Amino acid sequence: SQQGEEDPQALSIQEGENATMNCSYKTSINNLQWYRQNSGRGLVHLILIRSNEREKHSGRLRVTLDTSKKSSSLLITASRAADTASYFCAPLIYYGGSQGNLIFGKGTKLSVKP
Amino acid sequence: KAGVTQTPRYLIKTRGQQVTLSCSPISGHRSVSWYQQTPGQGLQFLFEYFSETQRNKGNFPGRFSGRQFSNSRSEMNVSTLELGDSALYLCASRLLDRDNEQFFGPGTRLTVL
């Protein structure tokens, strides 16, 4: 089963509004990463938050992590049409020693209308 | 630095055929992972290679295989293609550090008719 599960599956907002996407996972993690994918293209790394961090900012992005609830959220402030994309969370799950894998969910499809 | 490159970008095959996809990682990255992305299943991990050895494998049938060369370039092969193999195949490379940030290529869009 998918480890990183995003919610909602789809989100439609107007330019200038904030967009919030949530992610839940099932096991202990080392870090959690968020990626963006423009239609049919490769994924681009946005931001990483480590398990001992609670909040992180990068430009218009704000990520929170609650390890007790096994959840994370990504907030995009003052959204732009160019933010239209699918957003994926990817918890880093260790499967042995120091080796780990990113487990992606199905993503949240964000549409920002001009 | 050049990014991750994948060839070909688009491919059309028929059922029963086999296909080989290629991935060149970012210079200095020795780990290459492959993912299959479909609308129904999302992004699923196929396998990861490091130093020409498969480190980890996802839950895919044996028709899906891969290899890595000494220059870190990787290929994946799918034999006896099925309609359900139609997907975007993404390759990602990374440094082996604790953060495990992946750098993705643009993908190969495979259509099986």
Side-chain angles (χ1 to χ4, degrees):
Chain A
S1 62
Q2 300 286 3
Q3 278 282 354
E5 295 189 9
E6 296 88 350
D7 171 64
Q9 291 185 354
L11 182 61
S12 182
I13 59 174
Q14 295 293 131
E15 224 172 14
E17 294 181 338
N18 295 342
T20 299
M21 288 159 267
N22 302 299
C23 167
S24 60
Y25 57 92
K26 296 177 183 172
T27 62
S28 296
I29 62 172
N30 177 269
N31 67 49
L32 187 142
Q33 303 178 29
W34 285 88
Y35 288 78
R36 184 188 71 213
Q37 182 181 35
N38 289 88
S39 182
R41 310 279 298 274
L43 279 71
V44 174
H45 182 265
L46 291 175
I47 193 166
L48 177 154
I49 186 165
R50 297 198 171 91
S51 59
N52 61 353
E53 298 175 313
R54 291 297 165 257
E55 188 171 309
K56 202 157 182 185
H57 296 255
S58 176
R60 295 183 296 112
L61 304 180
R62 173 180 166 250
V63 168
T64 61
L65 180 65
D66 187 334
T67 53
S68 67
K69 294 181 180 177
K70 292 186 170 55
S71 66
S72 174
S73 67
L74 171 68
L75 169 68
I76 303 175
T77 59
S79 62
R80 305 166 183 167
D83 294 327
T84 294
S86 290
Y87 292 82
F88 296 84
C89 76
L92 177 61
I93 310 292
Y94 275 90
Y95 56 83
S98 61
Q99 299 181 42
N101 261 353
L102 292 176
I103 308 297
F104 291 86
K106 294 187 179 181
T108 291
K109 190 172 266 190
L110 173 66
S111 174
V112 181
K113 297 186 169 126
Chain B
K1 270 187 186 177
V4 177
T5 58
Q6 291 187 246
T7 56
R9 293 292 312 280
Y10 301 92
L11 206 49
I12 300 175
K13 292 285 188 179
T14 56
R15 277 182 298 176
Q17 287 187 309
Q18 75 164 22
V19 66
T20 300
L21 312 181
S22 180
C23 170
S24 292
I26 290 173
S27 176
H29 288 191
R30 292 164 61 194
S31 165
V32 174
S33 296
W34 288 89
Y35 296 84
Q36 181 196 65
Q37 186 177 30
T38 59
Q41 297 299 318
L43 200 65
Q44 294 190 291
F45 172 74
L46 279 156
F47 29 65
E48 180 190 13
Y49 285 86
F50 174 74
S51 290
E52 303 176 64
T53 301
Q54 189 179 86
R55 275 161 52 101
N56 195 20
K57 189 176 189 304
N59 190 24
F60 277 82
R63 299 185 297 107
F64 292 82
S65 63
R67 59 177 176 167
Q68 187 180 35
F69 302 95
S70 58
N71 61 359
S72 295
R73 190 177 70 85
S74 177
E75 289 181 347
M76 69 161 280
N77 185 77
V78 187
S79 62
T80 319
L81 285 166
E82 301 176 359
L83 295 178
D85 297 333
S86 293
L88 181 67
Y89 289 88
L90 293 163
C91 160
S93 73
R94 65 182 177 98
L95 293 168
L96 279 190
D97 58 13
R98 66 173 181 146
D99 286 344
N100 203 11
E101 176 186 342
Q102 303 259 11
F103 294 82
F104 283 81
T108 293
R109 172 74 64 185
L110 171 65
T111 301
V112 182
L113 302 175

